[in-house]
Amino acid sequence: MVKPLLITGASSGIGYELARVGAAHNHDLILVARRADRLQALQQELTNRWGVQVWIYVADLTDAQARQQLFDWSQDQAIRLYGLVNNAGFGHQDPLAEANWERQNAMLQLNIVALTHLTRLYLPGLIAQGQGRILNVASTAAFLPGPYMAVYFASKAYVRSFTTAIASELQGTGVTATTLCPGPTRSEFQEQAGVSNSKLFQGELPSAAEVAAYGYTAMEQGQAIAVHGFMNQVLTQLARLLPYEGLAEQIKTLQKDG
Ligand SMILES: NC(=O)c1ccc[n+]([C@@H]2O[C@H](COP(=O)([O-])OP(=O)(O)OC[C@H]3O[C@@H](n4cnc5c(N)ncnc54)[C@H](OP(=O)(O)O)[C@@H]3O)[C@@H](O)[C@H]2O)c1
């Protein structure tokens, strides 16, 4: 059975690798991002290798109208989605008082509003067909306050809270919602966020492909929350037990260059 997945942020990193995992599992795909050339190259690779159907849709998902147009287009194409993967997101390191507001606002629009809007648009169709999957990409940052990346960390806490609540609402519908929480992972994220030299991103990091394979399995199993990596699982459990203000001081130290 062909089961289309829509993946946002499929032009690089974890989203790119999720598309490759999805194709290997025989899913047709709708790939969304702003960089058309990257999406076209991936479309060609996946079509040739796996024989699945791959649509590409170029959009800036911070734009509400573009999100509605994406939904309308997929309805016009009569694509009955099986899974929605809200992966597109970015961060930026800056003390809030010095941060560029346009960039912070775009982060809120992409990491929170786009993820919520797309979920709202596609959820009724998934429920009506009695089966479906939602995979929302948060972060281990979802468990922590993040000085110098306050908006990013808080946006991921939103994703975790929102997705956990939706997962509960969806019980008995055949549709599941999974929060994927990667820790620091090799991708274009670090450079975009300006954190390549921070202590958090030193040492051997997991590849985007590893995280994507883990996230795909968690989504298929309908897990509510999936924290990637044993150490991240231990640290996020520990974070639940420690005073929140103290955690902020720890993260502040780790955000510094290593
Ligand atoms: N890498 C990490 O250490 C890490 C850790 C925890 C969580 N995460 C989360 O994992 C997710 C994927 O990140 P990644 O590590 O794979 O980073 P990445 O390599 O930078 O990929 C980000 C993806 O988002 C897309 N995107 C960015 N802005 C967009 C916009 N306005 N409209 C549409 N698409 C947009 C990018 O495509 P275009 O530029 O072509 O639009 C790209 O495909 C993010 O939600 C991130 O917060 C990453």
Side-chain angles (χ1 to χ4, degrees):
M1 189 173 66
V2 174
K3 302 192 289 186
L5 292 179
L6 187 156
I7 302 175
T8 69
S11 62
S12 77
I14 298 167
Y16 179 93
E17 295 295 343
L18 275 163
R20 299 179 86 199
V21 179
H25 286 85
N26 205 30
H27 291 281
D28 286 344
L29 299 164
I30 304 175
L31 306 179
V32 186
R34 294 167 302 179
R35 286 172 290 180
D37 53 340
R38 296 278 196 101
L39 295 180
Q40 279 157 0
L42 184 57
Q43 177 188 42
Q44 197 160 23
E45 177 199 322
L46 300 181
T47 312
N48 292 345
R49 177 145 187 223
W50 300 106
V52 293
Q53 183 155 6
V54 180
W55 296 270
I56 58 175
Y57 194 94
V58 177
D60 181 342
L61 292 173
T62 61
D63 178 352
Q65 211 181 346
R67 299 191 294 264
Q68 185 66 50
Q69 284 166 352
L70 163 63
F71 177 72
D72 294 344
W73 167 83
S74 65
Q75 297 295 101
D76 291 346
Q77 300 288 315
I79 303 168
R80 285 183 59 204
L81 224 59
Y82 164 74
L84 169 66
V85 179
N86 283 303
N87 161 77
F90 74 95
H92 200 260
Q93 190 176 55
D94 268 323
L96 186 67
E98 295 164 23
N100 173 289
W101 169 244
E102 274 67 39
R103 197 195 286 238
Q104 300 290 314
N105 189 31
M107 200 190 301
L108 290 166
Q109 296 306 316
L110 185 64
N111 297 10
I112 294 181
V113 181
L115 173 142
T116 309
H117 191 190
L118 290 176
T119 304
R120 174 63 187 85
L121 287 169
Y122 283 104
L123 203 47
L126 299 179
I127 294 171
Q129 71 194 10
Q131 67 157 6
R133 295 285 179 269
I134 292 174
L135 180 66
N136 286 339
V137 181
S139 165
T140 48
F143 296 82
L144 303 159
Y148 306 133
M149 287 184 86
V151 171
Y152 177 74
F153 276 58
S155 75
K156 294 304 183 178
Y158 172 92
V159 175
R160 176 181 164 221
S161 170
F162 169 75
T163 311
T164 307
I166 299 296
S168 173
E169 288 183 21
L170 290 171
Q171 279 166 17
T173 63
V175 183
T176 60
T178 299
T179 310
L180 173 62
C181 297
T185 302
R186 281 202 309 278
S187 74
E188 294 177 12
F189 177 89
Q190 292 89 291
E191 205 175 321
Q192 293 285 333
V195 293
S196 304
N197 296 324
S198 101
K199 290 194 185 84
L200 282 171
F201 283 85
Q202 303 309 305
E204 192 60 30
L205 300 180
S207 68
E210 279 173 60
V211 172
Y214 174 79
Y216 176 82
T217 303
M219 176 187 81
E220 276 302 78
Q221 292 174 345
Q223 285 181 37
I225 186 134
V227 177
H228 178 257
F230 178 70
M231 277 316 289
N232 291 326
Q233 287 164 10
V234 171
L235 290 172
T236 51
Q237 286 299 330
L238 205 59
R240 294 174 204 245
L241 305 174
L242 296 172
Y244 210 52
E245 298 79 0
L247 285 172
E249 292 310 306
Q250 295 293 326
I251 297 301
K252 188 156 74 178
T253 308
L254 289 170
Q255 298 276 38
K256 292 190 178 133
D257 288 358

